[in-house]
Amino acid sequence: MLKEKLRSTRSDKKRDVRPTIPVTLKECIYRISYITNTPVKDVCVDICEAGVVSKKVMEHMSVYFRRQIWLDQTLYRGDLANASIKSEIPAGQKERITMRFSQRSFENIRTLGYALDVTPTTAVALLLDASVKNSDFINEYVRIFLSKHVDEGRMRELEQVMTFINKNNPYEEQISWSAITSFIVDEMKTGTSNLSQSINGWLDKLK
């Protein structure tokens, strides 16, 4: 007699999601990946996991919530009369991007999709766009990366450089961690072997 074997779902099983996003957004994510030397899939997951628990990002998206949900111990009210967020999906050329979520993170994505009345895949595409535009997240993401590759003294010097530039530039623009790192990475292309050496050389030029 054949016995039926039931396979239990592993608690750490990953869920593949492949949203279609604007090419410009994809290029931005690839640049963050390059700057931080982090795989694109991991950058995408980091962006989404930070965005779905960010009060700033969720408040921005919640005006389109059509159902009430709890996310990160916060209650967001929905209303079927709210405009559909589908109308905010940008037109133009799009490409797929692939990422893998833990089961817990995917449940948050699915909950967000339920609130927005869209599929989890569409929710990921919208969350990526909203989160990348959150400068607080990008700056902190790059700052944490730099702190792992640059000694404490150099980090303080970088902070002082940013403070000086932001206080004295005539353009009324705030220079961010990501902007400075992007500039330094461009300098690396001239032949510096690694990010740490490039940062040290860049700071030395300012003295």
Side-chain angles (χ1 to χ4, degrees), residues 59-121:
E59 285 176 5
H60 166 73
M61 299 185 75
S62 65
V63 297
Y64 299 102
F65 284 1
R66 310 191 82 185
R67 299 187 180 98
Q68 178 175 293
I69 59 167
W70 282 91
L71 269 177
D72 194 37
Q73 300 182 336
T74 300
L75 175 65
Y76 293 95
R77 299 191 179 279
D79 190 330
L80 288 173
N82 287 343
S84 172
I85 198 170
K86 293 178 183 179
S87 63
E88 298 299 312
I89 298 176
Q93 186 179 359
K94 295 182 177 66
E95 293 181 359
R96 287 196 181 279
I97 195 165
T98 302
M99 63 205 78
R100 302 186 74 198
F101 289 99
S102 67
Q103 191 64 34
R104 181 176 181 179
S105 293
F106 184 77
E107 287 305 318
N108 281 337
I109 296 298
R110 184 152 55 187
T111 299
L112 178 63
Y114 173 78
L116 293 168
D117 195 24
V118 298
T119 65
T121 300

Side-chain angles (χ1 to χ4, degrees), residues 55 57 81 130 143 148 183 203:
K55 294 290 192 297
V57 173
R143 187 195 67 77
K148 295 176 181 177
F183 173 77
L203 287 171

Side-chain angles (χ1 to χ4, degrees), residues 117 131 155 173 197:
D117 195 24
S131 300
M155 280 297 291
E173 297 174 348
Q197 290 178 0

Side-chain angles (χ1 to χ4, degrees), residues 37-59:
N37 194 31
T38 305
V40 170
K41 290 182 180 181
D42 293 343
V43 171
C44 289
V45 170
D46 288 343
I47 291 171
C48 289
E49 289 182 341
V52 81
V53 297
S54 165
K55 294 290 192 297
K56 188 174 181 179
V57 173
M58 286 301 101
E59 285 176 5

Side-chain angles (χ1 to χ4, degrees), residues 130-168:
S131 300
V132 164
K133 292 175 180 176
N134 178 14
S135 60
D136 293 342
F137 164 75
I138 298 299
N139 285 333
E140 183 64 9
Y141 192 76
V142 174
R143 187 195 67 77
I144 291 173
F145 167 76
L146 284 175
S147 69
K148 295 176 181 177
H149 293 79
V150 182
D151 63 67
E152 189 175 331
R154 287 302 200 183
M155 280 297 291
R156 284 197 297 268
E157 288 189 61
L158 276 172
E159 289 171 355
Q160 291 169 2
V161 167
M162 286 179 60
T163 299
F164 173 80
I165 292 174
N166 286 328
K167 282 185 176 180
N168 296 280

